[in-house]
Structures are given as C-alpha cells and as structure tokens.
Amino acid sequence: MYSEWRSLQLVIQSDRGHMSVLHNYPNNVGKDVAHAVVRPLGQAVNSSTSTSNESILKTDKEVKWTMEVLCYGLTLPLDGETVKLCVDVYTDWIMALVARRDSIPQPIIKEPNLYVQTILKHLQNLFVPRSESAHNQITLCLRVLAAVQKLARESANMSRETWEVLLLFLLQINDTLLAAPTVPGGLAENLADKLIGVLFEVWFLACTRCFPTPPYWKTAREMLANWRHHPAVVEQWSKVICALTSRLLRFTYGPSFPPFKVPDEDANLIPAEMDNDCIAQTWFRILHMLSNPVDLSNPAIISTTPKFQEQLLSVSGMTQEMIQHPCLKQLPQIFFRAMRGISCLVDAFLGIARTNIIRERLPPYGISRPRSDSAPPTPVNRLSMPQASSTMNTTPPHSRRVRSVTVTKATVKTGSGSTAHPPKVTHQTSTTSPLSSPNQTSSEPRPLPAPTRPKVNSVLNLFGQWLFDAALVHCRLHNGMNRDSSMTASFIQILLSYKSCITTPAGLDVRRKPSQISTENMVANPLFDANEFPDNYEAGRAEACGTLCRIFCSKKTGEEILPVYLSRFYMVLIQGLQINDYICRPVLASIILNSPALFCSDLKGIDVLVPYFISALETILPDRELSKFKAYVNPTELRRASIHILLSMLPLPHHFGTVKAEVLLEGKFSNEDSLSHDKSVTFLSLKLRLVNVLIGALQTETDPNNTQMILGAMLNIVQDSALLEAIGSQTELSVGDSTHVSLKSHSRNSSGISMTSTGSSEATTPDSERPAQALLRDYDTASGLLIRSIHLVTQRLNSQWRQDMSISLAALELLSGLAKVKVSVDSTDRKRAVSSVCSYIVHQCSRPAPFHSRDLHSMIVAAFQCLCVWLTEHPDMLNEKDCLIEVLEIVELGISGSKSKTSDQEVRYKGDKELNPASMRVKDAAEATLTCIMQLLGAFPSPSGPASPCSLLNEETLIKYSRLTSTSKNHFRYFVLDNSVILAMLEQPLGNDQNPCPSVTVLIRGMSGRHAWIMQLYHQPRGSRANQKAFVPEPHPPPKHDVGIKYNVKHRPFPEEVDKIPFVKADLSIPDLHEIVTDQLEVQHEKLKNLMAKQILYENALEKISEERLSKTLFPDPVTECIPPPPAQEFQTARLLLSHFGFLSLEALKEPGNSRLPPHLIALDSTLAGFFDDVGYLDLLPCRPFETVFIFYMRPGQKTSQEILRNVESSNNVQSHFLEFLLSLGWPVDVGKHPGWTGQVSTSWLINTCNDNEGKEQEETVTPEDTGGGIFNGEKKVLYYADALTEIAFVVPSFVESSADSSECGHPTQETETQMDLLPSLLKQTPLTLELFPNHSDNLGNSQRLSPTQKTKKLPLGRTVPPLGPETKVIVVWVERFDDIENFPLNDLLPETSTGVEATTNSSTSLRTTTSDKDVPVIFIHPLKTGLFRIKLQGATGKFSMVIPLVDGMVVSRRALGFLVRQTIINICRRKRLESDSYNPPHVRRKQKIADIVHKYRNKLLEPEFYTSLFQEVGPKTLNP
C-alpha cells in the first residue's frame, strides 16, 4: 500500500531531540543541576496558595536552557522527586496549546507549537524502562499520556508539524516499551493497553484535523507489526476497527442497513466531526495497520523483530530458542482475538446483528456463530471450566495418537495452560456457559443477512486472504498445495472439473487423477512446525473457518462467486471436516455451527462435500453426550446445527439418484485401501448413511426442539421414498446451469448400492456409536423406513417423550403424517401405532391430579386427533376385534374418565358409572373420535363427494324432489332425541307408488352433521323380497266339469238292508196310518198330499232355473267371490318409527328427576317464528375444521403488494413449478357449485350455481395455465382439499382494478333487492341437489359471485353468520429470490386474506391477537437451481410454534413439496386450535346450537296430548295441538 513511500523509522532512530547538553557531563553534575533547577519550577507549578503563579522564566534563552535541564532530569532514577517535578512542569507547559496559564513562561505562550514539539521529544526519556520503582514510573507515564490525550482533544492551535511530532512521539514510546519481548509484570505489560489506546485516539484526532501523510501510515504499520505479541495491541485494534466500521456502514449502506452496535466507550474514540470521506480513508488504513493477522499463528515471524533479535544476541547464540520465549505463549490467544475481530467485521458487512461482541474477552476456545439479540453466542471459557486448564486438551488423547508426528505434549500443554495472561483478558470471561439455558434460543430463527449486503466476492476481496490462510493454519496439505498461486490454480481446475455429470471416460480419468495421490506424498506445511503448539491455534483457525462459512452462506440468489474463492473454501472445508486422520474438534464444531444453510445457497459444486459432511455428522449426532465438544461449544447448539445440515442433505440421494459424485481427495480421507480410491460414489448410495444418521440422532437426542426437527425430517424422507417408489424410475429435469450435476434417470434398485453405502458407513463410524446396525438393510425401502419410524416414535412416545408437550405433539403429528403415507404395511405395524397412541392416552389420563393442566389436556386432545387420522386412513383396522375393543375403551375413558372393564375382570356398566372426564376438552375430543368411528369409517367420501361429509338434502330439496305439490315444510314433524339429535320426519312417500309400504323420510341433524334417510317397514327379510313384485291376490282356478264320471243315484234316507230286517212286536206296536184314519183325517191327508206334490214341482222348477242360470254365469262370481282387502296406502309412519325404536314409552317422555336435561324425546313446534331460520343457521355450522391458505408469488426485487398480486395474472410471470405446486395442494372447484369451504363465509357451504353455458365458456377461455394461478382467487374458482377430518381452501389472491371495484359497487338497486330476496333461502335452506354434479340453475345473478376484496362488503344485510372463529390463516409465499423474504409486505397483503370470519361478533375478541403480522404463519418456498426447494418459516411464536413436518431451513423435493406443505398447514391450524381458549370443536358448536333450538322451540305437551298429536295429520291447516 505504501511501497512508494519511505518509512520514518530511520528518522526516528537518528533524531537526537531527546538528548540534553548535560548528558555530556558526568552523571553527578547533571543530577545536581537538575535537582537544583527543577525544584523551584516544580514548586511554582504545584503551588496553589502562592499569591503569584507567574513563571520566573522570561526570555527564550532562559526557557531553552531550563528545558535542557528538564530533558536530562527525565532520565534520572526515580528514587527522588526530580523526575516527578520534571513531569509536572512539562505537563503544565504543554497546555499552552490548550489554554493560557500564569505558570507557563511567556516565550512558550508566544510560540507554543515550537516548544511543545521540543517538550514531546524530551518526554520520550520518561518511557525508557528503568530497573527500579516501576510503580512510580507507571504513574508518571500515565500522567503524561493523560496530558497528551487532553492536548490532542482540546487544542485548536496545533500546527501540522506539532501533530506529526505528537504522532512520532507516540510511535516512539510505544516502540520503546512494546517492541521488546514482554517481561511479566513489567512496565510494558502494565502500560500496553493505555499506550495503544492513546495512540489510536490521537491518531483519529489527527486524521480529523490534520490527516497524516503516507510516510506516517507506513511507519505506524511497520512499527505496529513489532508489537503484536502484546494482547492489548490486537484488542485495541479490534475495538477501533469495529468502531470505524460502525460509522462506515451508516453512510455506505444507508439507514435501512442493520446497525453495527459497539459499546459507547469504543464509539467515542471516533471523533464526531470526522467526515465520511475521512472515515473511509482511515478505515481502510487502520484495517491494514496490523499487517497480516495470520502471522500471529507463526512464532517464527513474530520472534524475528529487531528487538527480539537484540535480546536473543544478548542472551544466547542459538536462533531457535527465541521461538520458545514465554511471551509467545500468548500468541494463540492473540491470534484468536484477531480472527474474532475480523469475524465481527464480516458479520457487520453481512448485516448479521451483533451486540456486545467487542467486549467479549474470550480465551482461545470459544466458537462463534451468527449473532443476534435473541441468539447470543455460546462460547466457552476454558478458564471457567471446572477442570484444570492443564488437563483440558482441545484434542482427546485417543485422537491425538492417530497423528503421525508424536511429541511430548503434556509439557507443552501444561506450560501454555499455566501461562499468565494479562488481567484485562483473564478476568473478563464469557457469561454464557455451555449448558446454561440450552433452549433459550432454540425457538428463535437464525438471523438472515441484510438484503442490501455486499456480494460474497466483495467481502472476500477485503478479508478473504486472511481468512483462507488462517483457516489452513497448521494443516497437512498435499505437496504443491500450500498457500500460493500455483496451488490455487491447480485446485480450481481439479474442483471445477466436477461439472454437470461428465460421462465421457476421458473426463472421468481426468477427475480421478487428483485422488490418486498417495499418502506418502503428504507433508506438513513447511511454514509451521507441527511440533510446536500443535493445538493452541485451533481456536483462531476455527473462528476463520466459521467466518468463511457465514460468508458463503450469505450468497444471494443468482450471485456468482469467483472459482478461486470456491475452490479455496472447499479445500478449507475438506480439511476441517476430516475425521479419520486427525479430528480438530474446534474447527469441526465451528464449521458445523456456521453452515446450516450451506447446501441451501446454490453454491456451485457444493455437493462434492456431501460425503465429508455425512462423516462429520456421523461423529456428532449419534454421540449422546458430546463430551469431547463441550469445551468448545454448547452441545445442544452443535446438534441443532448438525440437524439443519442433515435436513438440507436428505433429499439429495433421491433427487440425484445414480449420478456419480466424484469426491475430491476421497481416498485420502477414507479408511479403504488404495485400490478403492477410484470408486465413484453415487448419491443414492449415500441414502443409507443419511438415514442411519437420522435414526441415530433421534435415538440420542434429548433437546425438545432438536427432536422435533428430526421428526419433521423423518416424515420428509419417508414420504419422498414412498412417492419415488410409487412412480418408479423417474427422470428428473435439471433446472440448474452447467455447473450443477444434472439429474439423471435413476432407480432405487440400482446394483451395488447397498454394498457401497454399507461399506462407507461402516468405515466412517464405529459400531459402538451406530445404533440399530442390523436394521440398515430395511432402510432402503419406503415400507422399511415407515415401519422403523413407527417403532422408534411409538417406543419413545410412551417412555421419554410423554412428559414433554412439544415433543409429544410433534411425535403425534409425525404419526398422523405416517398414517397418510401410501405404503403397504402389515396390519400389526398399523396396530402398533394405534395401540401406542391408546397407551399414551391412558398414561396421561391416569396421571395424578396435580399434574393435570391445560397443556396435559392439549396433549390428550392431540392424541385423540392422531387416533382419528389413523382410523380414517385405515378403517379396516377396526375389523379386528382386539383393535376395536381397545379403541372403544379409550373413547370410553375419555368420555367417562374410567374404563368399564378393569384388569381384574370386574365390569362396571355405563349406567353405574359417574361421568368424571379429565376435562371437557378431553371429553369433546373423545366424542369426536366416537363420531368418527360411527359416522365416517367406511363412509368417506360420501356420495356427495369429499367436499361434504353430510347429505346435500334439506326440507326444501326433499319437497322439490318428492313431486308432491301439496307438501310444504310444515308437513315435517320435528322431534329431538336425547337433546342432541333433531329429527325432521316427512310421512309422505317420495312419489314411489310401485311398492307401497310404511315409509318415512328423516333428516337427522346431529353433532356430526346432517344426514337423510328413507326408512321403510317390511315384514319380510331383505333377501326374500329382492325379486318380489307388488302384492296382487291370486284368483280361484276355473271349475272343470268334465273331470270324472257322473252317476244318477237315487238317494234313500236309509239303506236297502233296512227293509230286510224282520219286524218285531215292538215294531208293530205303532199302528199304520190307514188303521187310524177317519173321514175327517182323510180329507186333511188328501190336502197335505196335494200340497207336497205342488211343492215338489215348484222346487224342481226352481232347480232347473237355477241350473240354467248357473250354466250361463261366468266363474268366479264377482258377487260371491272372496277378495282380500287392498294394502294400506296411508300410514302414520312417524309414530311407527318412534314406537319401534322405543321412544314412545312413558319413561322416555318424563322429565328426569335429578337433571336439567329435557326428556329423551320431545317435540318441536315448527310453527313458531324463527324456527326455520335457526335450523338453517344450524346447517351453516361446519362439521369439520376448516382452514384457509393464501398463496402469493414474489418475483425478484418486488416490494409492493400490487406487484405481487399482479404476478398470478399470467403464466409468463410465474415459474412452471409454481403451477405444479398449486395443483399438488388440492383440486380446482367452482365456487358457485361447491358445497364446502371456499375461503369466504358468504360463498361457503352453499351451492350458488351459475348458468351452465357461462361456466363452460369461462372454462374454455380461462385455464390455470393461462392465469398463472390467479383464477383461484376465490371469485369463481378455488383450490380445495378435504379429508374426513378437515377441509382446506387454497386461495391465490389477484389484483383487482379500481374501476372494476367501482362498477361492482354500483350494482342497480333492483339487483340488490334480488339479493335481499334471496336472504330467507340463504338462511333457511341451502339449494342443494341429489346429484353429485348438479346441473340445474337457480338463476342467481352475478352479484352472488363476489370479488376477493369485497367479500365481506357484499355480505347481505341481516344475515347471521355463525361463530366460526377463532380462525387461523396461513400464508404461503413462493419467492424466487431468497433475500426478498425480508421485503415481503405482509401488512399490506393481510387485507387480501379476508375470509369473512373476522366479521363474526362472537369470535372478534379471540381474533384480535391473530391479526398481527407477527402471529400470521408464513411458509416461504424458494426454488433452488438443483430442482429442490428451500423452506423458510416465519411468524409462529409461543410454545405451540414449532410445527412439523416442515422445519425452518429444510430442503424438500419436488415430489413431496405439496404433501409436506399441506400437512404442515393442517398441523399449524391444529396447534392454534389447541392453544386457543375460545375454540370449540364443530360437534360441540352444533350440540350447543341444538340445545338452544330445544330451549326456544320445545312443544311442551302433556303425555295424552303428545300421543294424540301423533295420530293427527300435520300441515299448514292442521297444526300440532
């Protein structure tokens, strides 16, 4: 920098201005003269009671002669007062440039600059070290330094010559005291801090008032290089350069750039009047004033200064002994402090907020990480650890023995550990211990660099040379790879030959050549002797490595980094991550801590480091205690950073598949023999190692937040594996440039994968640190991963995790996600998951009463929700008796508080138990589970589709489709069962006369929704009447007269044998008639005979007539034929149904004696005003939780809401993957025909159909591909997803022109009245249809289709909106440039996320806290050039904040993105509902509304009146009595 300027060191050395004429005389002469002359002057200066303080010196000659004496007096011993009086006089005289005093001679007052220059040269004599009275000399030197400070601060008349002399004076006294080797307790050690502080302060004042010329800067730089073995020099340099940087950033990057905060005492060193140009010039010169800080790591350079050599020659003639000087023992700490200062500067330029960093006086083994106000660093002071410093080695003994160079290290370590440090350093230790509050910063996200930060190349141009050199201090490198340009060039070519999948054999050979270097060619860096201080410089090296990682992680999207920087950086990481030859744990920990976003930054060729990072993670994560790292860093923070890196690498094996990773230097850092060095590693072969690390981390992790991150990663890898297997071999499209590895067609069944991966994993991690080795073979399939995940999670859920709420919730969410993974798993594994959740509920419910809290009950509620997910996803599990019994027992436990069947086989029936649930929330969750079992299992999706789990029928629709014109809603009978189910009964058949039977149509409105049933009474089983026709009586068969033979037989009253019987006397005792006939009797007898003859004739005539008539009559005779009565056509079916189900008993109608509940059966009076409004209100209450997600697209550089909203208007403005992502979230639905949630209250749970032709034209003219997703803005279409337990509307808000707003607001009055006429139908009925895809039109106007920004304004007046809150809105942002996240205008876009729920009166109070932008969950999705996606989460706070599966910093594949985002949204909303005090589940809200309807419309009839009403018809005329 100053090569063309001469140094002033020779001028300083040759200057004799500090010599006096008395030096030519004998010592006793000068001493006597000085003692005699100085005494009266000193007394005059110190006398405050004298009447006249006027100086006795009047002329120039007198002053100059006296100054010769004073000059000699400053060289005298300190045993008397002469030196002190000389100091008093001179410190008084130099104030002539500040203010006039009577004690100052007049010649000095007239020419103050000339005399002050001479005085300053004389005062140099005071700072010459003396062997006696060091304390007195320290006091006098401090007085002089204070006077010089005051002179520089307050003097306004100093000339340039005086400033230059003052600067040379300070440089000379500093060089006199600090250039020589430090003597413990000496003058230099005590004055070093003050000397350097005064030098820098005066130098800044000189820069402000009289900027030093280049020779002075060059001289200062050269001389300062000789003082660097003093800790105070680097300490003060770090303070002032940080203070200058703070001022520099203010005007360089503007007020929006994050301020770099430094302590006030440091900031005050920079004069306030220093202008911006002066600050910039001074900053750059001060930055380089320390020369190369990396020299501090080389004692050979520090000990080659002239003063060191002088002392060496005066003591011994052996050159090597100077390196062993005791003062050089502090070089590791000084080197670390210099690197920490540079690290602070780098963070300041990156915009990473750091507070109170400069005041940290840390020992050599603190590890830095990105700082923020909420995330303080966690360095560890080795001196504050309980172990003795002599036994605290940075490298454990068993690791150090691996090194090829063996020395006696105990002596070296003991000596360095016992070296006395300056008091300024040793007493100010770190206030953060490694184990204090490990979770304090766990929920806080890492601070993002400032969006306006400089480019990586710019920062490295400033600090790269120092950092790269410092990061490779004492490293073992290849021959020719030491830090020179030829090494850099060759390494660039080697590294960048790893380009996008070079498949030619020649290319492969070229890339393999660097890996063929054998270990015999490995030599130590000749600049550093590894035998000297082998471990002490690890702290400074670790600081440099961590700083480099932060720099490269701050790369902006699309930013290009010079290949020379990338190559050197990768070489640094390869050196720092090695674990086989020699583990440098401080460096390894620093790299891991500062590299969480390394694989998310689109660095070219970064994937070459994947095997090295995997090896490092295999060292850290499976180690439960990390005892070997505790001396350097908080183990929890180290594990968290390791997990972040693991999350970013998990998708790589599936994504790149069989693409070969040509890993540089892989042979050098693997335990395989040299023959295997040429083996290329496929990305897919790394999968088992990554999964094994993940499983091992879960088995050893104890921190709640770290555990939740691992659980989220498990669902990610399982789902990605399942999707990959489902689609088979797939060709991924590369969206990166030529420097990225292209994504080739790959298959999981690639040959040789298991052998390669198993061998590499076994070689890098000992078996003792690698759990579950036998299960490695199962991790290669999605089902194996799923089973293993279920086993691990269920085992820990009922052991270690059940006491921790955050882990329990995350584990239950993971189980819920695993239930949705479409992989065939054995039923026993599924039952294991269900059984573990049941056991978890039993344990939590059985905990003692003092442990029951809201958090505990939230855990139980979440467990019931997880149970519902498993049952709905796998309903066939309940076909097994043991599983069904177990689930129902848990439901019973949740509702009643105890099980009916205990372990001792004692059974307590439901009627004998007292209801004592753990809490009402638990009871509600158990009831919801029971409803899920009874209503949803095997019945979802319903015939209405997944959009509605309920029937799409109500009274109006039934009447419409019954085809009975005389029917109205008043023909329905309304009853309530058990105060929880409303029955609406229509006794008329729905126009079906083919097979008349007792039929009733029932609308059942219960807690689970609205269901329609048609019930018919049959007296035959279903199978017998399957083919039965309508009842028709069978006729008699026609007579057949020609059958048989007809005989003419004369019938006798008695048989003929009677005549043959002889008479006896008894027979003759009765006389014959003729024997007793008289004349009179004869006449009568004749009359009787004639009468009988006539009668015979008459009867014969009648018989003949009858026979003739009968012969003419058809058969059968309709008059005499027996015909069965026709079937009944009218039934009182409501009465029959209630009677058959046992609801018409007297007991069911009586009021319970000891309860406020109504009877089991009551009738409702539907004629009361408002009845049907309340029923319609009940129908509007949703049956499932509903969520709303708003999706925005943010292009690079956009900051306003209008720009963001306009992006989705055209597909040219968005990436194709964005449209693919939208369609992976849900399916498109028409708002006007959709019966589910649409993202807006006014259009949800209704069917507002439009004209079919219009809909077809809209579909033809507007497609999602044409609009960039804006068609799903909720006005006409929306993306929708629903399962049995929840429904989600995905809305993509788009920009609405102001003219359109005014036109829509100006609808004619007639159309507004039409909309008001629709109000009763909206309240009382939903115009639903029996068809799954309705095609009828209700002729609704365009006013029903509301624009997104006017949904709440268009809500019809008077319509009552059910209390649907509290609401959780989730925002998903697709951001093309990751740095734009800081500029996302969330506050401006919140008005676009209106759903109408905010307007509900009952939920307004609970929504006040969720309207803040800080509480709105935001999921940022950033597409990487590799085709993967980086996730950034924002806005979630509180103990329910960390939700899985998506974790901040995670990288996910294109396949699993939609599933993971949707699952995270579901879990976020569930967590918010658990956290809310005012939330009631849907079935509870419906139950409360039913109870309200019962209270308002109960028909209070006596039993006789009630029975009478059942036999009476209902209708508009005949009303219920």
Side-chain angles (χ1 to χ4, degrees), residues 1093-1111:
K1094 291 181 180 179
Q1095 185 63 32
I1096 290 173
L1097 293 175
Y1098 178 74
E1099 290 181 0
N1100 290 335
L1102 286 178
E1103 184 178 359
K1104 185 177 181 180
I1105 294 173
S1106 176
E1107 290 177 356
E1108 293 176 355
R1109 185 183 301 170
L1110 184 62
S1111 62

Side-chain angles (χ1 to χ4, degrees), residues 1445-1466:
L1446 289 184
V1447 179
D1448 192 15
M1450 176 182 282
V1451 175
V1452 299
S1453 68
R1454 179 176 156 197
R1455 288 179 299 271
L1457 180 62
F1459 171 83
L1460 295 177
V1461 169
R1462 186 172 61 240
Q1463 194 64 23
T1464 303
I1465 291 167
I1466 293 174

Side-chain angles (χ1 to χ4, degrees), residues 903-959:
S903 58
D904 56 359
Q905 303 301 321
E906 180 184 355
V907 177
R908 296 178 58 197
Y909 295 102
K910 181 174 69 173
D912 301 333
K913 290 196 304 183
E914 294 183 3
L915 292 181
N916 188 22
S919 71
M920 292 306 297
R921 297 173 64 216
V922 173
K923 179 185 177 184
D924 294 340
E927 288 179 347
T929 306
L930 182 62
T931 302
C932 172
I933 296 173
M934 297 300 179
Q935 298 283 352
L936 296 177
L937 293 193
F940 187 87
S942 66
S944 307
S948 177
C950 303
S951 171
L952 297 181
L953 297 172
N954 63 0
E955 288 85 349
E956 293 290 340
T957 316
L958 284 174
I959 292 170

Side-chain angles (χ1 to χ4, degrees), residues 257-320:
F257 196 80
F260 180 39
K261 300 178 182 178
V262 296
D264 292 339
E265 59 177 304
D266 296 347
N268 293 335
L269 295 174
I270 313 302
E273 62 271 18
M274 185 181 288
D275 58 19
N276 295 341
D277 185 57
C278 182
I279 287 177
Q281 296 291 334
T282 305
W283 177 86
F284 188 77
R285 287 166 169 78
I286 293 293
L287 177 67
H288 292 274
M289 186 175 283
L290 196 65
S291 299
N292 189 350
V294 186
D295 294 342
L296 294 169
S297 63
N298 192 352
I301 295 179
I302 302 300
S303 61
T304 55
T305 59
K307 290 296 179 71
F308 270 84
Q309 296 301 320
E310 288 178 11
Q311 183 169 348
L312 173 65
L313 295 176
S314 65
V315 176
S316 172
M318 295 182 65
T319 309
Q320 296 298 328

